[in-house]
Amino acid sequence: MIHFSNVTKFYENQAAIKNITFSVEKGEMVFMTGPSGAGKSTLLKIIYLSEKPDEGSVTIAEWDLSKLKESNIPFLRRNIGVVFQDFRLLDNRNVFDNVAIALRIRGMLEGEIQEWVMEILKMVNLRHKADSFSRALSGGEQQRVVIARAIVGEPTILLADEPTGNIDPDTAAGITRLFKEINARGTTVVVATHNRELYRNTGRRVFRLDSGNMVGEEIG
Amino acid sequence: MYLLYSFRLAFQSLWREKWINLLSVLTIAAGLFMITLTFFVVYNIDLATKRLPARFSVMLYLDDGLSEQETGSIIAQLKKNNAVEQARYIAKDKALEELKGVLKNADYILEGIDENPLPASIEIKLKKESVNIASVKKFAAEIKKIKGIAEVEYGEQFLNSIHSIKGMAKAGSLSLIIIMSAGVIFVCYSTLKIAFYRRKEEIETFKLLGATRGFIRAPFVIEGSVLGMFGGIASMAAAFAFYYVLFYKVTATIPILKILVFPLETFPALPIVGLLLGIGGAVIALGRIRFS
């Protein structure tokens, strides 16, 4: 599903990731871990095409990114749900609209959007907050809105960048359960985190990054 | 389809910045109204010069003492010329009679003249398509060769002046229309560029969620169309006020202005022109949308 081969990315002559090679199979759930600045976010950005690799090749769901036309990028992105580290919620819109935007972009009819979004909000336990503005929510609630937006389009890949960054341990455990549920439905999940609790005893593969290098792989 | 949602986004944005947008609409309206006035001037100059062929004539003065047969032969030759619409013979006596009619209040000028000094002449009306400097010059040169014609007069300077006035008016107005249109596009461009920067974060998020260029552009193009169209409607109201005041109020005191014509097609055209210029401004403001 995701294949990196000798991928390097520079920022102002400084390598953010160096010569990274790894693969993630379809339906797998993996973790990327390492300290801040290890290159976890850069790696995810390359997967959702926010950044281009300077060296090496990347294949996502059979799409060779080096051969991908720019006009096809939106269609590949629709297969990838992203839980952004900085949330990227639309402050001037309510929870419903924040989730619905992912379906509106896909051209879904409003009637279907209504039904589908409410279903997803129920799944993340936010149905009662559908009309609340995102800025009025707690950190954990905002995080769940972002997850709802990422999964509402039924992507084949779900990426989560530090999904438990600013939330309490109980909420974090709930979010981990949610990712497992999503993965159980067949979605490939990649979680970038420096929180050991998130992958401990999960039995999933954990890739360890440090200073842009892939320094190890273990089972969590 | 996302078009309904694009309309919703566009109208939300228009409403959020209603005062800036109102200012833009008024500026667009002022620009379009200036274009309308310029067009009105050109239209009337063009109309006046189109009326010219009906009034324009070439005068041929004949040699003295031509026989009736010789005069008849000259008229026959003229009528064969493709440029000639009509040829009217004016005998010496008739010419004097017409002059006396013109000098009705100053007949002392002709006192003491015993002999008719005026020559016989032929007044020629040319066909509409032949009333231009080149054709008239060519025609004058051709007929001057006919035996019995002493002089050909066609107001060369007058024709030249009309031609250059028309040319200058057209060039000047066209430049003004282009400048004003560019101004209208610029107003739409800057309004939408500001809106685009204001929503930059939101647009970046849309892109990351898989939005196509069409989805991102649509609300801005709709905003541009609405601004342009409302500017057009406002300028239509101003143009109508101008039309009403000129043709129903001013002409009552200055009747000669009744010869002016206001093309009524301008009214429905203004919102359409505004809409197109608005779309143009939006497209330029958005430029090329990149995804990586």
Side-chain angles (χ1 to χ4, degrees):
Chain A
M1 181 58 70
I2 301 168
H3 183 75
F4 273 53
S5 177
N6 303 313
V7 175
T8 301
K9 173 72 188 171
F10 294 100
Y11 288 121
E12 291 169 2
N13 299 325
Q14 188 93 26
I17 54 170
K18 297 170 205 160
N19 213 25
I20 300 279
T21 299
F22 74 97
S23 290
V24 180
E25 297 306 316
K26 190 177 176 195
E28 204 181 353
M29 180 171 176
V30 300
F31 293 86
M32 299 281 167
T33 192
S36 294
K40 306 184 292 290
S41 295
T42 304
L43 205 137
L44 294 191
K45 279 179 182 170
I46 289 174
I47 299 175
Y48 65 78
L49 297 108
S50 177
E51 297 288 356
K52 271 185 181 170
D54 294 309
E55 289 168 17
S57 69
V58 180
T59 309
I60 310 289
E62 312 297 323
W63 299 62
D64 181 346
L65 299 195
S66 63
K67 290 177 186 158
L68 188 70
K69 279 187 193 167
E70 204 185 342
S71 56
N72 281 331
I73 290 178
F75 303 101
L76 177 55
R77 280 180 178 161
R78 289 178 192 181
N79 287 305
I80 305 169
V82 187
V83 178
F84 300 101
Q85 191 173 8
D86 56 356
F87 297 167
R88 284 195 168 273
L89 288 173
L90 310 171
D91 289 340
N92 54 354
R93 310 210 190 270
N94 62 23
V95 168
F96 179 90
D97 278 338
N98 264 286
V99 179
I101 186 64
L103 300 178
R104 286 180 175 135
I105 279 170
R106 287 164 169 81
M108 197 185 260
L109 296 172
E110 282 298 317
E112 292 173 35
I113 289 173
Q114 180 76 24
E115 206 176 307
W116 195 223
V117 170
M118 292 316 270
E119 190 66 32
I120 294 292
L121 286 178
K122 190 178 162 191
M123 186 179 164
V124 296
N125 200 20
L126 278 176
R127 200 175 174 144
H128 60 293
K129 297 267 184 175
D131 295 326
S132 304
F133 276 78
S134 57
R135 57 176 178 266
L137 304 177
S138 70
E141 286 169 333
Q142 287 189 13
Q143 187 68 278
R144 280 184 282 152
V145 177
V146 182
I147 293 170
R149 185 182 64 188
I151 62 172
V152 75
E154 297 188 307
T156 49
I157 299 169
L158 176 69
L159 307 176
D161 195 359
E162 297 290 1
T164 57
N166 296 311
I167 52 179
D168 60 83
D170 285 347
T171 313
I175 282 169
T176 313
R177 267 199 305 278
L178 199 56
F179 286 145
K180 283 180 183 165
E181 261 179 64
I182 294 160
N183 175 240
R185 293 177 178 196
T187 307
T188 306
V189 180
V190 180
V191 181
T193 181
H194 61 266
N195 183 355
R196 282 166 197 268
E197 294 307 314
L198 223 59
Y199 53 83
R200 186 178 285 169
N201 300 323
T202 55
R204 316 284 182 164
R205 288 200 293 158
V206 179
F207 296 102
R208 194 170 293 283
L209 290 157
D210 194 9
S211 304
N213 295 299
M214 185 72 86
V215 292
E217 184 189 327
E218 60 195 70
I219 300 296
Chain B
M1 274 303 288
Y2 55 73
L3 218 55
L4 272 177
Y5 185 67
S6 302
F7 270 98
R8 203 175 110 188
L9 281 184
F11 283 102
Q12 276 173 353
S13 168
L14 285 167
W15 181 249
R16 209 167 28 237
E17 300 294 334
K18 48 187 172 296
W19 299 115
I20 292 177
N21 290 328
L22 181 69
L23 206 65
S24 302
V25 165
L26 293 176
T27 318
I28 292 165
L32 288 174
F33 182 59
M34 295 280 283
I35 291 174
T36 308
L37 290 185
T38 313
F39 178 67
F40 170 68
V41 172
V42 184
Y43 186 82
N44 279 281
I45 289 175
D46 206 44
L47 214 62
T49 50
K50 270 183 189 157
R51 284 175 189 148
L52 186 69
R55 291 162 186 263
F56 183 79
S57 58
V58 178
M59 291 303 295
L60 309 183
Y61 297 103
L62 304 177
D63 288 335
D64 260 348
L66 289 180
S67 69
E68 213 170 291
Q69 202 183 358
E70 284 170 320
T71 311
S73 156
I74 290 171
I75 293 172
Q77 281 186 68
L78 288 170
K79 282 187 174 169
K80 271 186 207 161
N81 193 306
N82 286 335
V84 175
E85 173 84 42
Q86 190 191 329
R88 182 173 76 101
Y89 175 69
I90 305 164
K92 278 171 78 80
D93 298 345
K94 176 86 171 143
L96 187 64
E97 210 174 289
E98 281 182 10
L99 183 64
K100 279 179 181 169
V102 173
L103 300 174
K104 205 163 39 186
N105 299 324
D107 51 359
Y108 57 88
I109 293 171
L110 297 173
E111 272 174 23
I113 298 173
D114 301 328
E115 208 179 315
N116 182 355
L118 301 174
S121 59
I122 298 170
E123 186 188 17
I124 292 174
K125 292 274 183 205
L126 292 176
K127 283 181 182 158
K128 216 173 173 181
E129 61 272 16
S130 298
V131 184
N132 58 66
I133 298 172
S135 302
V136 174
K137 257 188 180 168
K138 192 177 156 215
F139 174 72
E142 270 174 26
I143 57 172
K144 222 168 185 177
K145 289 176 195 159
I146 299 174
K147 203 181 161 198
I149 293 178
E151 205 183 330
V152 180
E153 200 184 282
Y154 61 88
E156 189 176 0
Q157 267 189 337
F158 172 72
L159 208 58
N160 273 335
S161 326
I162 291 291
H163 183 75
S164 52
I165 287 171
K166 189 180 168 181
M168 270 159 55
K170 271 198 169 170
S173 315
L174 195 68
S175 316
L176 203 65
I177 287 172
I178 291 171
I179 291 167
M180 294 312 295
S181 303
V184 171
I185 291 176
F186 181 74
V187 172
C188 291
Y189 163 86
S190 46
T191 309
L192 293 169
K193 199 78 183 170
I194 292 167
F196 189 77
Y197 280 124
R198 208 178 50 234
R199 276 151 55 189
K200 212 168 168 40
E201 273 293 297
E202 184 179 297
I203 291 163
E204 282 308 310
T205 305
F206 287 178
K207 282 188 201 171
L208 293 172
L209 295 176
T212 55
R213 290 190 174 110
F215 184 89
I216 294 164
R217 280 195 179 121
F220 293 98
V221 173
I222 294 167
E223 271 188 71
S225 325
V226 171
L227 290 176
M229 196 176 72
F230 275 93
I233 291 171
S235 68
M236 185 173 76
F240 186 76
F242 169 76
Y243 168 78
Y244 180 78
V245 170
L246 183 68
F247 290 95
Y248 290 91
K249 301 283 176 193
V250 179
T251 51
T253 40
I254 314 169
I256 195 166
L257 292 179
K258 276 183 182 162
I259 60 159
L260 295 174
V261 177
F262 192 96
L264 296 176
E265 300 86 349
T266 312
F267 294 130
L270 280 169
I272 298 167
V273 172
L275 184 132
L276 294 176
L277 294 178
I279 292 174
V283 169
I284 298 168
L286 297 175
R288 187 169 154 72
I289 292 167
R290 302 207 70 98
F291 290 109
S292 57

